[in-house]
Coordinates of all heavy atoms in Angstrom, one line a residue:
L13 N 0.8 -1.2 0.0 CA 0.0 0.0 -0.1 C 0.8 1.3 0.0 O 1.9 1.1 0.7 CB -0.9 0.1 1.3 CG -1.9 -1.1 1.4 CD1 -2.7 -0.9 2.7 CD2 -2.9 -1.1 0.2
R14 N 0.3 2.2 -0.7 CA 1.1 3.5 -0.8 C 0.5 4.4 0.1 O -0.7 4.4 0.5 CB 1.1 4.0 -2.2 CG 0.9 5.3 -2.5 CD 0.7 5.7 -3.9 NE -0.4 6.3 -4.3 CZ -0.8 7.6 -4.0 NH1 0.0 8.3 -3.3 NH2 -1.8 8.0 -4.4
R15 N 1.3 5.2 0.8 CA 0.9 6.3 1.9 C 0.2 7.4 1.0 O 0.4 7.7 -0.2 CB 2.0 6.9 2.5 CG 2.7 5.9 3.4 CD 3.8 6.4 4.1 NE 3.4 7.3 5.2 CZ 3.8 7.3 6.4 NH1 4.5 6.3 6.9 NH2 3.2 8.1 7.3
Q16 N -0.7 8.0 1.7 CA -1.4 9.0 1.1 C -0.5 10.3 0.7 O 0.4 10.6 1.6 CB -2.5 9.7 2.0 CG -3.4 10.7 1.4 CD -4.6 11.1 2.2 OE1 -4.6 10.8 3.4 NE2 -5.4 11.8 1.7
Q17 N -0.6 10.7 -0.5 CA 0.2 11.9 -1.0 C -0.5 13.2 -1.1 O -1.8 13.1 -1.2 CB 0.8 11.4 -2.4 CG 1.5 10.2 -2.4 CD 2.8 10.2 -1.6 OE1 3.6 11.1 -1.7 NE2 3.0 9.2 -0.8
P18 N 0.3 14.3 -1.0 CA -0.5 15.6 -1.1 C -1.2 15.5 -2.5 O -0.7 15.1 -3.5 CB 0.7 16.5 -1.2 CG 1.8 15.8 -0.4 CD 1.7 14.4 -0.7
G19 N -2.5 16.1 -2.4 CA -3.2 16.1 -3.6 C -4.1 15.0 -3.9 O -5.0 14.9 -4.7
D20 N -3.9 13.8 -3.1 CA -4.8 12.6 -3.3 C -6.2 12.9 -3.1 O -7.1 12.4 -4.0 CB -4.4 11.4 -2.4 CG -3.0 10.9 -2.8 OD1 -2.5 11.2 -3.9 OD2 -2.5 10.0 -2.1
A21 N -6.6 13.6 -2.1 CA -8.0 13.9 -1.8 C -8.6 14.8 -2.9 O -9.8 14.6 -3.2 CB -8.0 14.5 -0.4
E22 N -8.0 15.8 -3.3 CA -8.4 16.5 -4.6 C -8.7 15.7 -5.7 O -9.6 15.8 -6.4 CB -7.4 17.7 -4.7 CG -7.3 18.8 -3.6 CD -6.2 18.6 -2.5 OE1 -5.7 17.4 -2.7 OE2 -6.1 19.4 -1.8
R23 N -7.7 14.9 -6.0 CA -7.9 14.1 -7.2 C -8.9 13.1 -7.1 O -9.7 12.8 -8.1 CB -6.4 13.2 -7.5 CG -5.3 14.1 -8.1 CD -4.2 13.3 -8.6 NE -3.4 12.8 -7.4 CZ -2.5 13.5 -6.8 NH1 -2.2 14.7 -7.0 NH2 -1.8 12.9 -5.8
A24 N -9.1 12.6 -5.8 CA -10.2 11.6 -5.6 C -11.5 12.3 -5.7 O -12.4 11.9 -6.4 CB -10.1 11.0 -4.2
R25 N -11.6 13.6 -5.1 CA -12.9 14.4 -5.3 C -13.2 14.6 -6.6 O -14.4 14.4 -7.2 CB -12.7 15.7 -4.5 CG -13.9 16.6 -4.7 CD -13.6 18.0 -4.3 NE -12.6 18.4 -5.2 CZ -11.7 19.4 -4.9 NH1 -11.7 19.9 -3.7 NH2 -10.6 19.7 -5.8
D26 N -12.2 15.0 -7.5 CA -12.5 15.2 -8.9 C -12.8 14.1 -9.7 O -13.8 14.2 -10.6 CB -11.2 16.0 -9.5 CG -11.0 17.4 -8.9 OD1 -11.9 17.8 -8.1 OD2 -9.9 17.8 -9.0
A27 N -12.1 12.9 -9.5 CA -12.4 11.7 -10.2 C -13.9 11.1 -9.9 O -14.5 10.8 -10.8 CB -11.4 10.7 -9.9
Y28 N -14.2 11.2 -8.6 CA -15.5 10.8 -8.2 C -16.6 11.7 -8.8 O -17.7 11.3 -9.2 CB -15.7 10.6 -6.8 CG -15.0 9.3 -6.3 CD1 -14.0 9.4 -5.2 CD2 -15.3 8.0 -6.8 CE1 -13.3 8.3 -4.8 CE2 -14.6 7.0 -6.3 CZ -13.7 7.0 -5.3 OH -13.0 6.0 -4.9
G29 N -16.3 12.9 -8.9 CA -17.1 13.9 -9.5 C -17.5 13.6 -11.0 O -18.6 13.7 -11.4
E30 N -16.3 13.3 -11.6 CA -16.4 13.0 -13.1 C -17.2 11.6 -13.3 O -18.2 11.6 -14.1 CB -15.1 12.9 -13.7 CG -15.2 12.5 -15.1 CD -15.9 13.5 -16.0 OE1 -15.9 14.6 -15.8 OE2 -16.6 13.0 -17.2
A31 N -16.9 10.8 -12.4 CA -17.7 9.4 -12.4 C -19.2 9.6 -12.3 O -19.9 9.0 -12.9 CB -17.1 8.4 -11.4
L32 N -19.5 10.6 -11.3 CA -21.0 10.8 -11.0 C -21.6 11.5 -12.2 O -22.8 11.2 -12.5 CB -21.1 11.8 -9.8 CG -21.2 10.9 -8.5 CD1 -21.2 12.0 -7.3 CD2 -22.4 10.1 -8.3
R33 N -20.9 12.3 -12.9 CA -21.5 12.9 -14.2 C -21.8 11.9 -15.2 O -22.8 11.9 -15.8 CB -20.5 14.0 -14.7 CG -20.6 15.3 -13.9 CD -19.8 16.4 -14.6 NE -18.4 16.3 -14.3 CZ -17.7 16.6 -13.1 NH1 -18.5 17.0 -12.2 NH2 -16.5 16.5 -13.0
Q34 N -20.9 10.8 -15.2 CA -21.1 9.8 -16.2 C -22.2 8.8 -15.7 O -22.9 8.2 -16.5 CB -19.9 9.1 -16.6 CG -18.9 9.9 -17.2 CD -17.6 9.2 -17.6 OE1 -17.6 8.1 -17.9 NE2 -16.5 10.0 -17.7
F35 N -22.2 8.5 -14.4 CA -23.1 7.5 -13.8 C -23.8 8.1 -12.6 O -23.4 7.9 -11.5 CB -22.3 6.3 -13.4 CG -21.5 5.6 -14.5 CD1 -20.1 5.9 -14.7 CD2 -22.0 4.8 -15.4 CE1 -19.4 5.4 -15.6 CE2 -21.3 4.3 -16.5 CZ -19.9 4.6 -16.6
P36 N -24.8 9.0 -12.9 CA -25.5 9.7 -11.8 C -26.2 8.9 -10.7 O -26.5 9.4 -9.7 CB -26.4 10.6 -12.6 CG -26.6 10.1 -13.8 CD -25.4 9.2 -14.2
K37 N -26.4 7.6 -11.0 CA -27.1 6.7 -10.1 C -26.2 5.9 -9.3 O -26.6 5.0 -8.5 CB -28.1 5.8 -10.8 CG -29.2 6.5 -11.7 CD -30.4 6.7 -10.9 CE -31.4 7.3 -11.9 NZ -32.4 8.1 -11.2
A38 N -24.8 6.0 -9.4 CA -23.8 5.2 -8.7 C -23.6 5.9 -7.4 O -22.8 6.7 -7.1 CB -22.5 5.3 -9.5
F39 N -24.3 5.1 -6.3 CA -24.3 5.7 -5.0 C -22.8 5.6 -4.2 O -22.5 6.4 -3.5 CB -25.3 4.9 -4.1 CG -24.9 3.5 -3.7 CD1 -24.3 3.2 -2.6 CD2 -25.1 2.4 -4.6 CE1 -23.9 1.8 -2.2 CE2 -24.9 1.2 -4.3 CZ -24.3 0.9 -3.1
L40 N -22.1 4.7 -4.8 CA -20.7 4.5 -4.2 C -19.8 5.8 -4.6 O -19.0 6.1 -3.8 CB -20.1 3.2 -4.7 CG -20.5 1.9 -4.0 CD1 -19.9 0.7 -4.6 CD2 -20.3 1.9 -2.5
F41 N -20.0 6.2 -5.9 CA -19.3 7.3 -6.3 C -19.7 8.6 -5.4 O -18.8 9.3 -5.0 CB -19.4 7.7 -7.7 CG -18.9 6.6 -8.7 CD1 -19.5 6.4 -10.0 CD2 -17.9 5.8 -8.3 CE1 -19.0 5.5 -10.9 CE2 -17.4 4.9 -9.2 CZ -18.0 4.7 -10.6
A42 N -20.8 8.8 -5.2 CA -21.3 9.8 -4.3 C -20.7 9.7 -2.9 O -20.3 10.6 -2.3 CB -22.8 9.9 -4.3
D43 N -20.8 8.5 -2.3 CA -20.3 8.3 -0.9 C -18.9 8.5 -0.9 O -18.4 9.2 0.1 CB -20.8 7.0 -0.5 CG -20.4 6.7 0.9 OD1 -21.0 7.5 1.8 OD2 -19.6 5.8 1.4
N44 N -18.0 8.0 -1.8 CA -16.7 8.3 -1.8 C -16.3 9.6 -2.1 O -15.3 10.0 -1.5 CB -16.1 7.2 -2.8 CG -16.0 5.9 -2.4 OD1 -16.1 5.5 -1.3 ND2 -15.9 4.8 -3.3
R45 N -16.9 10.4 -2.9 CA -16.6 11.8 -3.1 C -16.8 12.6 -1.8 O -16.1 13.4 -1.4 CB -17.4 12.4 -4.2 CG -17.0 13.9 -4.4 CD -17.8 14.4 -5.6 NE -19.1 14.7 -5.4 CZ -20.1 15.2 -6.2 NH1 -19.6 15.6 -7.4 NH2 -21.3 15.3 -5.9
G46 N -17.8 12.0 -1.0 CA -18.2 12.6 0.3 C -17.0 12.4 1.2 O -16.7 13.3 2.0
V47 N -16.4 11.2 1.3 CA -15.2 10.9 2.1 C -14.1 11.9 1.6 O -13.4 12.5 2.5 CB -14.8 9.5 1.9 CG1 -13.5 9.3 2.5 CG2 -15.9 8.5 2.4
A48 N -13.9 12.0 0.4 CA -12.8 12.9 -0.1 C -13.1 14.4 0.3 O -12.3 15.2 0.8 CB -12.7 12.8 -1.5
R49 N -14.3 14.8 0.2 CA -14.6 16.1 0.7 C -14.4 16.4 2.1 O -14.0 17.4 2.6 CB -16.1 16.6 0.2 CG -16.2 16.8 -1.2 CD -17.6 17.2 -1.6 NE -17.7 17.8 -2.9 CZ -18.9 18.1 -3.6 NH1 -20.0 17.9 -3.0 NH2 -18.7 18.7 -4.7
S50 N -14.8 15.4 2.9 CA -14.6 15.5 4.3 C -13.1 15.6 4.6 O -12.7 16.5 5.5 CB -15.0 14.1 5.1 OG -16.4 14.2 5.2
M51 N -12.2 14.9 4.0 CA -10.9 14.9 4.1 C -10.3 16.4 3.8 O -9.2 16.8 4.3 CB -10.1 13.9 3.3 CG -10.3 12.5 3.7 SD -9.7 11.3 2.6 CE -7.9 11.5 2.8
L52 N -11.0 17.0 2.9 CA -10.6 18.4 2.5 C -11.3 19.4 3.3 O -11.1 20.7 3.1 CB -11.0 18.6 1.0 CG -10.2 17.8 0.0 CD1 -10.8 17.9 -1.4 CD2 -8.7 18.2 -0.1
G53 N -12.0 19.1 4.3 CA -12.6 20.1 5.3 C -13.9 20.6 4.7 O -14.4 21.6 5.3
D54 N -14.5 20.1 3.6 CA -15.7 20.6 3.1 C -16.8 19.7 3.6 O -17.4 18.8 3.0 CB -15.6 20.4 1.5 CG -17.0 20.9 0.8 OD1 -17.9 21.4 1.5 OD2 -17.0 20.7 -0.4
A55 N -17.2 20.1 4.8 CA -18.3 19.4 5.6 C -19.6 19.4 4.9 O -20.3 18.5 4.8 CB -18.5 19.9 6.9
E56 N -20.0 20.6 4.3 CA -21.3 20.7 3.7 C -21.4 19.9 2.3 O -22.3 19.3 2.1 CB -21.5 22.3 3.3 CG -21.9 23.0 4.7 CD -23.0 22.4 5.6 OE1 -24.1 22.0 5.0 OE2 -22.8 22.2 6.7
G57 N -20.2 20.0 1.6 CA -20.3 19.2 0.4 C -20.3 17.7 0.6 O -20.9 17.0 0.0
A58 N -19.6 17.2 1.8 CA -19.5 15.9 2.2 C -20.9 15.5 2.6 O -21.4 14.4 2.2 CB -18.5 15.8 3.3
L59 N -21.6 16.3 3.3 CA -23.0 16.0 3.8 C -23.9 15.9 2.6 O -24.7 14.9 2.6 CB -23.5 17.1 4.8 CG -24.8 16.9 5.3 CD1 -24.9 15.7 6.1 CD2 -25.2 18.2 6.2
A60 N -23.8 16.7 1.6 CA -24.6 16.6 0.5 C -24.4 15.3 -0.3 O -25.3 14.7 -0.8 CB -24.3 17.8 -0.5
D61 N -23.1 15.0 -0.4 CA -22.7 13.7 -1.1 C -23.2 12.4 -0.4 O -23.8 11.5 -1.0 CB -21.3 13.6 -1.4 CG -20.8 14.4 -2.5 OD1 -21.6 14.9 -3.2 OD2 -19.6 14.7 -2.6
H62 N -23.0 12.4 1.0 CA -23.6 11.3 1.6 C -25.0 11.2 1.6 O -25.7 10.1 1.6 CB -23.0 11.2 3.1 CG -21.6 11.1 3.2 ND1 -20.9 10.1 2.7 CD2 -20.6 11.9 3.9 CE1 -19.6 10.2 2.9 NE2 -19.4 11.3 3.5
S63 N -25.7 12.4 1.6 CA -27.1 12.4 1.4 C -27.6 11.8 0.1 O -28.6 11.1 0.0 CB -27.7 13.7 1.7 OG -27.5 14.1 3.1
L64 N -26.9 12.2 -0.9 CA -27.2 11.8 -2.2 C -26.9 10.3 -2.4 O -27.9 9.5 -2.9 CB -26.2 12.4 -3.3 CG -26.2 12.0 -4.7 CD1 -27.7 12.1 -5.3 CD2 -25.2 12.6 -5.6
A65 N -25.9 9.7 -1.8 CA -25.7 8.3 -1.7 C -26.8 7.7 -1.1 O -27.4 6.6 -1.5 CB -24.4 8.0 -1.1
L66 N -27.4 8.2 0.2 CA -28.5 7.5 0.8 C -29.8 7.7 -0.1 O -30.7 6.7 0.1 CB -28.7 8.1 2.1 CG -27.6 7.8 3.1 CD1 -27.5 8.5 4.4 CD2 -27.7 6.3 3.4
S67 N -29.9 8.7 -0.8 CA -31.2 8.8 -1.6 C -31.2 7.8 -2.8 O -32.2 7.3 -3.2 CB -31.3 10.2 -2.2 OG -30.4 10.5 -3.3
L68 N -29.9 7.4 -3.2 CA -29.8 6.4 -4.2 C -29.8 4.9 -3.6 O -30.2 3.9 -4.3 CB -28.5 6.5 -5.0 CG -28.4 7.9 -5.8 CD1 -27.0 8.1 -6.3 CD2 -29.4 8.0 -6.9
E69 N -29.2 4.8 -2.4 CA -29.2 3.4 -1.8 C -29.6 3.7 -0.3 O -28.6 3.8 0.6 CB -27.8 2.9 -2.0 CG -27.6 1.5 -1.4 CD -28.4 0.5 -2.2 OE1 -28.7 0.6 -3.4 OE2 -28.6 -0.7 -1.5
P70 N -30.8 3.7 0.0 CA -31.3 4.0 1.4 C -30.8 3.0 2.3 O -30.7 1.8 2.0 CB -32.8 4.0 1.3 CG -33.2 4.2 -0.1 CD -32.0 3.6 -0.9
G71 N -30.2 3.4 3.5 CA -29.7 2.4 4.5 C -28.3 2.1 4.3 O -27.8 1.1 5.0
Y72 N -27.6 2.5 3.2 CA -26.2 2.1 3.0 C -25.3 2.6 4.3 O -25.1 3.8 4.6 CB -25.6 2.8 1.9 CG -24.2 2.4 1.4 CD1 -23.8 1.1 1.2 CD2 -23.2 3.5 1.4 CE1 -22.4 0.9 1.0 CE2 -21.9 3.2 1.1 CZ -21.5 2.0 0.9 OH -20.2 1.7 0.6
P73 N -24.9 1.6 5.0 CA -24.2 1.9 6.4 C -23.1 2.8 6.4 O -23.2 3.8 7.1 CB -23.8 0.5 6.9 CG -24.7 -0.5 6.2 CD -24.9 0.1 4.8
P74 N -22.1 2.9 5.4 CA -21.1 3.8 5.5 C -21.5 5.3 5.3 O -21.1 6.2 5.9 CB -20.1 3.4 4.4 CG -20.3 2.0 4.2 CD -21.8 1.8 4.4
A75 N -22.5 5.5 4.4 CA -23.1 6.8 4.2 C -23.9 7.2 5.4 O -23.9 8.5 5.8 CB -24.0 6.8 2.9
L76 N -24.6 6.4 6.0 CA -25.3 6.7 7.2 C -24.5 7.1 8.4 O -24.8 8.1 9.1 CB -26.3 5.5 7.7 CG -27.5 5.1 7.1 CD1 -28.1 3.8 7.4 CD2 -28.5 6.3 7.3
I77 N -23.4 6.4 8.5 CA -22.4 6.7 9.6 C -21.7 8.1 9.3 O -21.7 8.9 10.2 CB -21.4 5.6 9.8 CG1 -22.2 4.4 10.3 CG2 -20.3 6.0 10.7 CD1 -21.4 3.2 10.3
A78 N -21.3 8.3 8.2 CA -20.7 9.5 7.8 C -21.6 10.7 7.9 O -21.3 11.8 8.5 CB -20.0 9.5 6.4
R79 N -22.8 10.6 7.4 CA -23.7 11.7 7.5 C -24.1 11.9 8.9 O -24.2 13.2 9.3 CB -25.0 11.2 6.7 CG -26.1 12.4 6.5 CD -27.2 11.9 5.5 NE -28.4 12.6 6.0 CZ -29.3 12.2 6.7 NH1 -29.2 10.9 7.2 NH2 -30.4 12.7 7.0
S80 N -24.3 10.9 9.7 CA -24.6 11.2 11.1 C -23.5 11.9 11.8 O -23.7 12.8 12.7 CB -24.9 9.8 11.8 OG -26.2 9.4 11.3
S81 N -22.2 11.5 11.5 CA -21.1 12.2 12.1 C -21.0 13.6 11.8 O -20.7 14.4 12.6 CB -19.8 11.4 11.7 OG -19.9 10.2 12.3
L82 N -21.3 13.9 10.5 CA -21.2 15.3 10.1 C -22.3 16.1 10.7 O -22.1 17.2 11.1 CB -21.2 15.3 8.5 CG -20.0 14.8 7.8 CD1 -20.4 14.5 6.3 CD2 -18.9 15.9 7.9
L83 N -23.6 15.5 10.7 CA -24.6 16.3 11.4 C -24.3 16.5 12.8 O -24.7 17.7 13.3 CB -25.9 15.5 11.2 CG -26.5 15.6 9.8 CD1 -27.6 14.5 9.6 CD2 -27.0 17.0 9.3
N84 N -23.8 15.5 13.4 CA -23.4 15.6 14.9 C -22.5 16.8 15.1 O -22.5 17.5 16.1 CB -23.0 14.3 15.4 CG -23.5 13.8 16.7 OD1 -24.4 14.5 17.3 ND2 -23.1 12.7 17.2
A85 N -21.4 16.7 14.4 CA -20.4 17.8 14.5 C -20.8 19.2 14.3 O -20.3 20.0 14.9 CB -19.2 17.5 13.4
R86 N -21.9 19.4 13.6 CA -22.4 20.7 13.5 C -23.5 21.0 14.4 O -24.2 22.1 14.3 CB -22.7 21.0 12.0 CG -24.0 20.4 11.5 CD -24.4 20.8 10.1 NE -25.8 20.5 9.8 CZ -26.3 20.8 8.5 NH1 -25.4 21.3 7.6 NH2 -27.5 20.3 8.3
G87 N -23.7 20.1 15.3 CA -24.7 20.3 16.4 C -26.1 19.9 16.1 O -27.0 20.2 16.9
D88 N -26.4 19.3 15.0 CA -27.7 18.9 14.6 C -27.9 17.5 15.1 O -28.0 16.5 14.2 CB -27.8 19.0 13.0 CG -29.3 18.9 12.6 OD1 -30.2 18.6 13.4 OD2 -29.4 19.0 11.4
H89 N -28.0 17.2 16.3 CA -28.1 16.0 17.0 C -29.4 15.2 16.6 O -29.4 14.0 16.4 CB -27.9 16.1 18.5 CG -26.6 16.8 18.8 ND1 -25.5 16.3 18.5 CD2 -26.5 17.9 19.5 CE1 -24.5 17.2 18.9 NE2 -25.2 18.2 19.5
A90 N -30.5 16.0 16.5 CA -31.8 15.3 16.2 C -31.8 14.7 14.8 O -32.3 13.6 14.6 CB -32.9 16.3 16.4
S91 N -31.2 15.4 13.9 CA -31.1 14.9 12.5 C -30.1 13.8 12.4 O -30.2 12.9 11.4 CB -30.8 15.9 11.5 OG -31.8 16.9 11.4
A92 N -29.1 13.7 13.2 CA -28.1 12.8 13.2 C -28.6 11.3 13.6 O -27.9 10.3 13.3 CB -26.9 13.1 14.0
M93 N -29.8 11.2 14.3 CA -30.2 9.9 14.7 C -30.9 9.2 13.6 O -31.4 9.5 12.8 CB -31.2 10.3 15.7 CG -30.7 10.9 17.0 SD -29.2 10.1 17.6 CE -29.9 9.2 19.0

């Protein structure tokens, strides 16, 4: 395995964005772009991506956990449940 390099999160965000443009129903691309956005400090973008993933694949555990964590971090505890 290679260690994360500078620019990896930006490249991942951009690659998953392009993949979503080509395959707009691919919930994994949305969820993974959300992870990349979180790594870049873009909490609102990450929240939008994890929510998109859940709209495409309701109940997808990684998206549920990530979305709940982001909502909790911004103090929206009721929605995080």
Side-chain angles (χ1 to χ4, degrees):
L13 294 175
R14 139 181 122 71
R15 295 178 73 123
Q16 186 175 11
Q17 301 295 310
D20 283 354
E22 290 91 350
R23 283 189 292 277
R25 177 200 56 209
D26 296 346
Y28 286 122
E30 179 58 33
L32 269 171
R33 282 186 282 284
Q34 293 181 32
F35 303 98
K37 304 264 186 206
F39 73 95
L40 286 175
F41 294 156
D43 190 56
N44 287 338
R45 185 175 68 180
V47 171
R49 284 180 162 174
S50 283
M51 293 173 67
L52 293 168
D54 179 8
E56 291 304 312
L59 183 58
D61 282 342
H62 294 305
S63 295
L64 173 60
L66 288 168
S67 75
L68 297 169
E69 184 68 25
Y72 179 59
L76 281 171
I77 293 166
R79 187 171 151 266
S80 291
S81 294
L82 289 162
L83 289 168
N84 227 2
R86 76 174 190 188
D88 191 353
H89 307 297
S91 297
M93 300 306 259

